[in-house]
Amino acid sequence: TFEATLTVQVQLSAVVDVSMKVGQTVTEVSVRDVTPIVTVDSPTLGATLERTRIEQLPINGRDVQSLLQTVPGMETFRAFGLRNFSFEMVLDGAALADRYGYYNVPLRQPGLDSIQEFKVENNNSSAKFTRPTTLVLTTRGGANQFHGAAFETNRNNAVGLARQRQDTWGRPGTKPPYLNRNEFGASAGGPVYLPKLYSGRDRTFWFFSYEALRQIVYSTQSYALPTEAMRQGDMRGLVDANGNLQRIYDPWSTNTTTWTRQPMAYGGQLNVIDPRLLSPLAKTLFEVTALPNRPDNPMVSANWYGPVPNLRRSWTISTRIDHRFGDRDQVYG
């Protein structure tokens, strides 16, 4: 009699070699773990993160790519110095990459509570995948026992938020940029049960997961903005780093024969626009544009430093139904 335990992870082709000898009349049962440590029938190299590590590893946020730091050779989604985005992400066989835009990773990735395990193949990945590196994810399903979980995490700068050096450029004595991030969600799963109609124990299961992110974060940015004089039509400050004046010309002085124009001047000063020629659109845009808070020349360097808001609201929902017809046949969606 041979009896053993085999653990099969995602993308693992397991080979179990059984060696049996003729025994005596006494029956002996040996139980041991036969999960292969080394795969002998495939040259593919990678690493698998099972549900326990997904739940327990400390990460900043709930992003799948944060867990890739535990995989040898991985730098976020780049493996062994390959180009960025040279990977494929597959969830239950469906590709998640965005081939139209620049980024291959969807902005809102699958929620961590909806993932059972995932494997990163970053060497000799199968030809059935389209990229050198493949991230294969499988979703969670329900079980006979009802299980549920909920979470909410908050990070803000109410206490102890450090400030970057550039946060005070041009704004001495200011507070650190505002930050408020909330991540929350819930998940649950169990057997399908309809009172007096159907009990799905050992046969039909359900699982549901919801995760959301609400984030308001201000980061210090720098811009080159027109000065107060430029907003009034005085362009004498259009001087590059070498001291060369960038001349502007009067579009209404175009010679239809030579197609030359006269330099713009007003009040005897070159590069000064008659205030009457300023367009209403320009005046409206200047009213909603910040004034420089540094004296730097906008033709050479940034003359405004300050907090710029970045708002994000995203969520993801995952629902899965499993049904077992028998020990050898099952289906899920």
Side-chain angles (χ1 to χ4, degrees), residues 49-56 62 111-118 140 187:
L49 270 76
E50 66 283 352
R51 184 65 209 164
T52 302
R53 286 198 287 176
I54 294 176
E55 289 180 343
Q56 297 182 0
R62 298 180 63 82
L112 286 184
D113 282 349
S114 67
I115 299 175
Q116 177 63 31
E117 63 180 16
F118 68 87
R140 293 178 66 186
S187 62

Short mmCIF file of all heavy atoms in Angstrom, two decimals, residues 49-56 62 111-118 140 187:
data_model
loop_
_atom_site.label_atom_id
_atom_site.label_comp_id
_atom_site.label_asym_id
_atom_site.label_seq_id
_atom_site.Cartn_x
_atom_site.Cartn_y
_atom_site.Cartn_z
N LEU A 49 4.03 32.34 -4.70
CA LEU A 49 3.59 32.91 -3.43
C LEU A 49 2.20 32.37 -3.13
O LEU A 49 1.24 32.66 -3.86
CB LEU A 49 3.58 34.44 -3.48
CG LEU A 49 4.90 35.12 -3.05
CD1 LEU A 49 5.93 34.99 -4.18
CD2 LEU A 49 4.67 36.57 -2.72
N GLU A 50 2.10 31.58 -2.06
CA GLU A 50 0.83 30.98 -1.70
C GLU A 50 0.02 31.94 -0.84
O GLU A 50 0.47 33.03 -0.48
CB GLU A 50 1.05 29.64 -0.99
CG GLU A 50 1.72 29.76 0.37
CD GLU A 50 3.20 30.00 0.28
OE1 GLU A 50 3.75 29.93 -0.84
OE2 GLU A 50 3.80 30.28 1.33
N ARG A 51 -1.20 31.52 -0.49
CA ARG A 51 -2.13 32.39 0.21
C ARG A 51 -1.57 32.89 1.56
O ARG A 51 -1.78 34.05 1.93
CB ARG A 51 -3.46 31.64 0.45
CG ARG A 51 -4.53 32.48 1.09
CD ARG A 51 -4.97 33.62 0.20
NE ARG A 51 -5.43 34.77 0.97
CZ ARG A 51 -5.58 35.98 0.46
NH1 ARG A 51 -5.26 36.22 -0.78
NH2 ARG A 51 -6.01 36.95 1.21
N THR A 52 -0.85 32.04 2.26
CA THR A 52 -0.35 32.44 3.59
C THR A 52 0.59 33.64 3.49
O THR A 52 0.48 34.60 4.27
CB THR A 52 0.38 31.26 4.25
OG1 THR A 52 -0.51 30.16 4.35
CG2 THR A 52 0.89 31.64 5.63
N ARG A 53 1.50 33.61 2.53
CA ARG A 53 2.43 34.73 2.40
C ARG A 53 1.75 35.98 1.84
O ARG A 53 2.12 37.09 2.19
CB ARG A 53 3.62 34.32 1.53
CG ARG A 53 4.58 33.39 2.24
CD ARG A 53 5.92 33.34 1.54
NE ARG A 53 5.85 32.59 0.29
CZ ARG A 53 6.86 32.47 -0.56
NH1 ARG A 53 8.01 33.09 -0.31
NH2 ARG A 53 6.75 31.74 -1.65
N ILE A 54 0.76 35.79 0.98
CA ILE A 54 0.02 36.95 0.49
C ILE A 54 -0.67 37.67 1.64
O ILE A 54 -0.74 38.90 1.68
CB ILE A 54 -1.01 36.51 -0.58
CG1 ILE A 54 -0.29 35.98 -1.82
CG2 ILE A 54 -1.93 37.66 -0.96
CD1 ILE A 54 -1.22 35.43 -2.88
N GLU A 55 -1.18 36.89 2.60
CA GLU A 55 -1.88 37.49 3.74
C GLU A 55 -0.92 38.12 4.75
O GLU A 55 -1.23 39.16 5.34
CB GLU A 55 -2.71 36.42 4.46
CG GLU A 55 -3.93 35.96 3.69
CD GLU A 55 -4.69 34.90 4.45
OE1 GLU A 55 -4.11 34.31 5.38
OE2 GLU A 55 -5.87 34.65 4.13
N GLN A 56 0.25 37.53 4.95
CA GLN A 56 1.07 37.90 6.09
C GLN A 56 2.26 38.80 5.77
O GLN A 56 2.77 39.46 6.66
CB GLN A 56 1.58 36.64 6.79
CG GLN A 56 0.46 35.78 7.37
CD GLN A 56 0.98 34.56 8.09
OE1 GLN A 56 2.19 34.35 8.17
NE2 GLN A 56 0.08 33.75 8.63
N ARG A 62 -1.90 47.73 -1.11
CA ARG A 62 -2.40 46.39 -1.43
C ARG A 62 -2.18 46.12 -2.91
O ARG A 62 -3.09 45.74 -3.64
CB ARG A 62 -3.88 46.28 -1.05
CG ARG A 62 -4.12 46.47 0.44
CD ARG A 62 -5.58 46.35 0.79
NE ARG A 62 -6.13 45.03 0.50
CZ ARG A 62 -6.02 43.98 1.31
NH1 ARG A 62 -5.36 44.08 2.44
NH2 ARG A 62 -6.56 42.84 0.98
N GLY A 111 -7.81 42.59 -6.38
CA GLY A 111 -7.68 42.73 -4.93
C GLY A 111 -6.93 41.56 -4.33
O GLY A 111 -7.09 40.40 -4.76
N LEU A 112 -6.13 41.82 -3.31
CA LEU A 112 -5.32 40.77 -2.71
C LEU A 112 -6.18 39.68 -2.09
O LEU A 112 -5.80 38.50 -2.08
CB LEU A 112 -4.39 41.36 -1.64
CG LEU A 112 -3.19 42.16 -2.15
CD1 LEU A 112 -2.33 42.61 -0.98
CD2 LEU A 112 -2.36 41.34 -3.12
N ASP A 113 -7.35 40.04 -1.54
CA ASP A 113 -8.21 39.03 -0.92
C ASP A 113 -8.82 38.09 -1.94
O ASP A 113 -9.35 37.03 -1.56
CB ASP A 113 -9.33 39.71 -0.12
CG ASP A 113 -8.82 40.23 1.21
OD1 ASP A 113 -7.69 39.89 1.58
OD2 ASP A 113 -9.55 41.00 1.87
N SER A 114 -8.80 38.45 -3.21
CA SER A 114 -9.39 37.60 -4.25
C SER A 114 -8.38 36.66 -4.88
O SER A 114 -8.73 35.85 -5.73
CB SER A 114 -10.04 38.46 -5.34
OG SER A 114 -9.04 39.18 -6.06
N ILE A 115 -7.11 36.74 -4.48
CA ILE A 115 -6.05 35.93 -5.08
C ILE A 115 -5.71 34.77 -4.15
O ILE A 115 -5.40 34.97 -2.97
CB ILE A 115 -4.80 36.78 -5.36
CG1 ILE A 115 -5.14 37.90 -6.34
CG2 ILE A 115 -3.67 35.92 -5.91
CD1 ILE A 115 -4.00 38.86 -6.59
N GLN A 116 -5.73 33.57 -4.67
CA GLN A 116 -5.36 32.38 -3.90
C GLN A 116 -3.85 32.22 -3.86
O GLN A 116 -3.26 32.00 -2.81
CB GLN A 116 -6.01 31.13 -4.50
CG GLN A 116 -5.63 29.83 -3.82
CD GLN A 116 -6.07 29.78 -2.37
OE1 GLN A 116 -7.08 30.36 -1.99
NE2 GLN A 116 -5.29 29.08 -1.54
N GLU A 117 -3.22 32.30 -5.00
CA GLU A 117 -1.77 32.24 -5.09
C GLU A 117 -1.36 32.72 -6.47
O GLU A 117 -2.18 32.83 -7.39
CB GLU A 117 -1.24 30.82 -4.85
CG GLU A 117 -1.69 29.79 -5.88
CD GLU A 117 -1.13 28.40 -5.59
OE1 GLU A 117 -0.65 28.16 -4.47
OE2 GLU A 117 -1.15 27.55 -6.49
N PHE A 118 -0.07 33.02 -6.62
CA PHE A 118 0.41 33.38 -7.94
C PHE A 118 1.85 32.94 -8.10
O PHE A 118 2.59 32.80 -7.12
CB PHE A 118 0.25 34.88 -8.22
CG PHE A 118 1.12 35.78 -7.41
CD1 PHE A 118 2.42 36.10 -7.82
CD2 PHE A 118 0.64 36.35 -6.25
CE1 PHE A 118 3.21 36.94 -7.08
CE2 PHE A 118 1.42 37.21 -5.50
CZ PHE A 118 2.72 37.50 -5.92
N ARG A 140 -9.45 33.01 -5.65
CA ARG A 140 -9.90 32.18 -4.53
C ARG A 140 -11.32 31.69 -4.78
O ARG A 140 -12.12 32.36 -5.46
CB ARG A 140 -9.88 32.99 -3.24
CG ARG A 140 -8.51 33.38 -2.76
CD ARG A 140 -8.61 34.21 -1.50
NE ARG A 140 -9.13 33.45 -0.37
CZ ARG A 140 -9.42 33.96 0.80
NH1 ARG A 140 -9.26 35.26 1.01
NH2 ARG A 140 -9.88 33.20 1.79
N SER A 187 -14.41 40.57 2.15
CA SER A 187 -14.49 39.36 1.35
C SER A 187 -15.18 38.27 2.16
O SER A 187 -15.13 38.28 3.40
CB SER A 187 -13.09 38.89 0.91
OG SER A 187 -12.30 38.59 2.04
#
